[in-house]
């Protein structure tokens, strides 16, 4: 079992190919959510929408994109952290309010969702789905003011937890980030024949695909409005401490993205180097669990001087459905994805680097495959600390009783996965990998149980 990504948000203003650019942006951000995808465009003052279950390439056809007319759009890829995977939860969520049509795309998790929802129901609100994002729609619907920015600044302060919102109205696009900065949100600009577009996204890899220039991060507690007059920004909720999710750098973000002011590939290499400094092992090879373990394994190899090899090859072409053989094959689920190279591994002492270890079941199967391929010794190293707590800020993690490190000793885990030795990166080592971040203050509660006070 691995971590489940959260969601991706994307928005663009003043672009002649708004729907196509949003499609490409969501395609680049597919790793953040694979359940459903949606795009809402603004044509004149009217919204046009298309949402569906599945990957970006499955949801949208060329005909769909042509029908999504207009010069502005907001898009979303969803992996449910709050709310079931049902049509009414697909985003962007849309409604017609006093201020006009509204479409909201959200990455994060509102931790006081249940209390707010019950209070709104007591006042007569009728909810269509179970997503925490819908709470904001109802809060805005009950606000009688016609100034959407004023409504948002007031009602966003009612939300506790993590949020990066991109909102499309009848005449503007708005982005807002929670005051702790849990989830990334960035601002960019794209040049085209008709002028320039403003672009908003969860990660910079989306800008790379559409040829947009990275401008800056949207600050924690900042709200930005973009319309025909230009861009306006203000800090609506300022806090002394920030809580940027460190797991964005451990696992979630694409390695070619810049997140929280740091290149993800570089920070993962630093995690590997720190892991090597903390663990002096005698081995012949360093191999990653592909693909997320590759940067850390490269860093470990560089620091330790132990040769790096791709001892496990990953099959990237597994579809959403796969017909399994009727007769059981041991470790079939892992074998279809990962294949050890016996010619490289045979009679070798091997260090295996993975980004994380959650339940341990997949690690156990991988180690069994490596031994079957002839590895003499298998030392399993994890490029982050032991995961001992679930996340409440927009990450779908197992309950505490399913987290192996929360319930077993290091020795017990090592015996369970069948490794010759097991080691994790220390919390200090992890923090050292992001020490050059321009803004300090990271949430690492999944490793420490020290949740931010919000």
């Amino acid at each position: 079992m691995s971590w489940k990504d959260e969601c991706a948000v994307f928005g663009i203003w003043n672009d002649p190919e708004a729907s196509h650019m949003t499609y490409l942006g969501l395609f680049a951000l597919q790793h953040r959510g694979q359940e459903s995808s949606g795009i809402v465009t603004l044509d004149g003052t009217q919204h046009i929408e298309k949402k569906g279950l599945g990957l970006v390439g499955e949801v949208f056809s060329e005909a769909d994109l042509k029908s999504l007319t207009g010069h502005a759009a907001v898009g979303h890829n969803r992996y449910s952290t709050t709310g079931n995977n049902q049509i009414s939860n697909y985003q962007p969520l849309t409604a017609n309010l006093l201020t006009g049509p509204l479409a909201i795309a959200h990455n994060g998790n509102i931790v006081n969702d249940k209390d707010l929802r019950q209070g709104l129901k007591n006042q007569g609100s009728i909810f269509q789905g179970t997503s925490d994002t819908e709470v904001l729609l109802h809060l805005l619907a009950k606000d009688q003011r016609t100034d959407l920015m004023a409504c948002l600044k007031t009602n966003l302060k009612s939300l506790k937890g993590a949020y990066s919102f991109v909102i499309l109205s009848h005449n503007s696009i708005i982005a807002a980030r929670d005051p702790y900065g849990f989830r990334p949100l960035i601002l960019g600009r794209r040049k085209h024949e008709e002028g320039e577009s403003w672009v908003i996204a969860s990660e910079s890899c989306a800008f790379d695909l559409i040829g947009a220039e990275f401008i800056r991060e949207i600050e924690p507690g900042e709200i930005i409005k973009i319309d025909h007059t230009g861009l306006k920004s203000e800090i609506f909720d300022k806090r002394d401490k920030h809580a940027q999710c460190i797991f964005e750098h451990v696992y979630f973000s694409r390695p070619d993205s810049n997140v929280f002011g740091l290149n993800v590939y570089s920070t993962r290499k630093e995690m590997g180097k720190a892991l090597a400094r903390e663990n002096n092992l005698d081995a012949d090879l360093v191999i990653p669990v592909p693909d997320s373990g590759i940067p850390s394994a490269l860093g470990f190899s560089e620091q330790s001087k132990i040769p790096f090899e791709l001892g496990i090859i990953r099959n990237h072409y597994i579809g959403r459905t796969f017909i399994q053989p009727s007769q059981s094959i041991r470790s079939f689920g892992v074998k279809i994805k990962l294949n050890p190279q016996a010619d490289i591994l045979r009679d070798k002492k091997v260090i295996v680097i993975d980004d994380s270890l959650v339940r341990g079941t997949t690690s156990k199967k991988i180690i069994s495959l490596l031994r079957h391929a002839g590895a003499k010794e298998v030392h399993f190293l994890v490029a982050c600390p032991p995961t001992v707590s679930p996340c409440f800020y927009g990450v779908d993690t197992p309950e505490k009783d399913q987290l192996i490190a929360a319930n077993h000793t290091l020795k017990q885990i090592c015996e369970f996965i069948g490794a010759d030795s097991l080691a994790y990166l220390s919390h200090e080592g992890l923090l050292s990998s992001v020490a050059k971040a321009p803004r300090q203050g990271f949430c690492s509660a999944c490793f420490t149980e020290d949740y931010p006070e919000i």
Side-chain angles (χ1 to χ4, degrees):
M1 183 272 172
S2 187
W3 295 80
K4 298 295 194 305
D5 301 343
E6 331 98 343
C7 296
V9 296
F10 185 92
I12 191 163
W13 178 264
N14 189 38
D15 198 292
E17 296 185 280
S19 64
H20 284 80
M21 293 302 106
T22 303
Y23 170 85
L24 291 172
L26 293 178
F27 196 89
L29 298 169
Q30 186 72 84
H31 59 286
R32 298 186 71 88
Q34 299 88 42
E35 283 188 357
S36 65
S37 188
I39 296 174
V40 177
T41 59
L42 175 65
D43 191 350
T45 59
Q46 300 300 311
H47 283 181
I48 306 169
E49 67 177 272
K50 165 70 177 179
K51 296 184 280 188
L53 178 68
L55 303 177
V56 177
E58 298 169 337
V59 172
F60 302 101
S61 66
E62 179 62 30
D64 291 327
L65 297 179
K66 287 181 178 179
S67 70
L68 291 166
T69 53
H71 278 58
V74 60
H76 188 267
N77 290 335
R78 184 170 192 266
Y79 189 94
S80 57
T81 55
T82 298
N84 299 323
N85 185 24
Q86 59 192 56
I87 293 175
S88 55
N89 289 334
Y90 297 173
Q91 294 193 28
L93 295 185
T94 58
N96 280 297
L97 307 182
L98 185 63
T99 53
L102 207 65
I104 299 181
H106 173 210
N107 176 27
N109 198 31
I110 309 305
V111 297
N112 62 335
D113 159 62
K114 290 182 180 178
D115 291 339
L116 291 172
R117 180 181 291 263
Q118 189 58 53
L120 287 162
K121 285 182 177 179
N122 291 343
Q123 297 174 52
S125 292
I126 301 172
F127 282 79
Q128 300 299 312
T130 56
S131 167
D132 58 337
T133 312
E134 194 176 354
V135 166
L136 180 59
L137 272 179
H138 285 277
L139 289 171
L140 294 173
K142 287 193 169 295
D143 198 312
Q144 297 299 302
R145 291 172 292 177
T146 57
D147 184 340
L148 179 58
M149 282 289 280
C151 293
L152 278 167
K153 285 185 286 185
T154 298
N155 289 289
L156 286 173
K157 290 181 180 180
S158 302
L159 308 181
K160 293 183 179 180
Y163 57 81
S164 288
F165 285 117
V166 181
I167 300 169
L168 186 65
S169 74
H170 69 288
N171 63 2
S172 66
I173 195 166
I174 298 169
R177 191 175 174 204
D178 72 75
Y180 297 94
F182 281 102
R183 298 285 152 223
L185 194 62
I186 57 172
L187 178 69
R189 194 159 44 207
R190 176 180 179 264
K191 294 182 180 180
H192 48 79
E193 291 182 357
E194 294 185 16
E196 290 185 339
S197 306
W198 288 105
V199 191
I200 302 156
S202 294
E203 293 181 35
S204 62
C205 62
F207 291 175
D208 297 335
L209 184 57
I210 65 170
E213 173 194 6
F214 172 84
I215 301 298
R216 65 175 177 86
E217 262 194 278
I218 293 172
E219 296 292 320
E222 182 180 13
I223 188 167
I224 287 176
K225 179 182 180 181
I226 304 168
D227 60 16
H228 70 281
T229 65
L231 183 149
K232 297 176 183 177
S233 164
E234 66 176 286
I235 301 296
F236 70 94
D237 194 352
K238 186 175 178 61
R239 304 297 169 93
D240 294 330
K241 294 182 179 180
H242 298 123
Q244 302 163 114
C245 174
I246 204 163
F247 225 87
E248 290 283 351
H249 277 277
V250 172
Y251 178 79
F252 290 133
S253 297
R254 258 177 52 168
D256 52 336
S257 285
N258 293 315
V259 172
F260 306 139
L262 295 171
N263 175 258
V264 176
Y265 177 82
S266 297
T267 57
R268 288 179 186 167
K269 279 193 74 174
E270 287 299 319
M271 292 172 199
K273 290 179 181 180
L275 194 59
R277 287 191 290 268
E278 295 176 1
N279 296 276
N280 184 20
L281 292 173
D282 174 31
D284 301 308
L285 301 174
V286 176
I287 69 170
V289 175
D291 287 328
S292 55
I294 291 175
S296 294
L298 284 168
F300 190 99
S301 174
E302 187 176 314
Q303 181 70 32
S304 66
K305 310 302 181 187
I306 299 172
F308 171 93
E309 291 283 0
L310 289 174
I312 304 172
I313 302 300
R314 181 183 175 188
N315 181 358
H316 291 85
Y317 301 100
I318 302 168
R320 290 174 66 83
T321 60
F322 189 88
I323 301 171
Q324 298 193 21
S326 57
Q327 203 169 19
S328 176
I329 298 177
R330 189 178 178 186
S331 302
F332 184 85
V334 173
K335 280 184 175 181
I336 194 63
K337 294 180 181 179
L338 304 173
N339 188 33
Q341 298 204 75
D343 288 347
I344 291 175
L345 300 167
R346 191 176 294 114
D347 299 326
K348 296 293 195 302
K349 298 177 183 178
V350 180
I351 294 173
V352 184
I353 308 290
D354 204 355
D355 60 88
S356 58
L357 196 160
V358 184
R359 288 175 173 158
T361 51
T362 299
S363 304
K364 180 177 183 178
K365 292 173 183 177
I366 290 170
I367 291 170
S368 176
L369 290 176
L370 293 172
R371 293 198 186 281
H372 185 72
K376 186 177 180 180
E377 293 179 11
V378 180
H379 303 273
F380 202 86
L381 273 64
V382 185
C384 72
T387 305
V388 296
S389 288
C391 175
F392 301 106
Y393 305 113
V395 181
D396 185 29
T397 55
E399 296 297 325
K400 192 178 180 72
D401 61 0
Q402 295 179 323
L403 296 169
I404 193 169
N407 301 283
H408 297 85
T409 65
L410 187 69
K411 183 180 179 181
Q412 288 172 333
I413 300 170
C414 185
E415 290 176 352
F416 174 76
I417 65 175
D420 290 283
S421 70
L422 169 68
Y424 292 86
L425 179 62
S426 69
H427 189 246
E428 294 74 22
L430 178 64
L431 292 178
S432 72
S433 70
V434 293
K436 294 181 180 179
R439 181 190 302 106
Q440 288 300 304
F442 286 88
C443 177
S444 55
C446 50
F447 306 127
T448 64
E449 294 187 280
D450 183 15
Y451 294 97
E453 294 183 8
I454 59 173

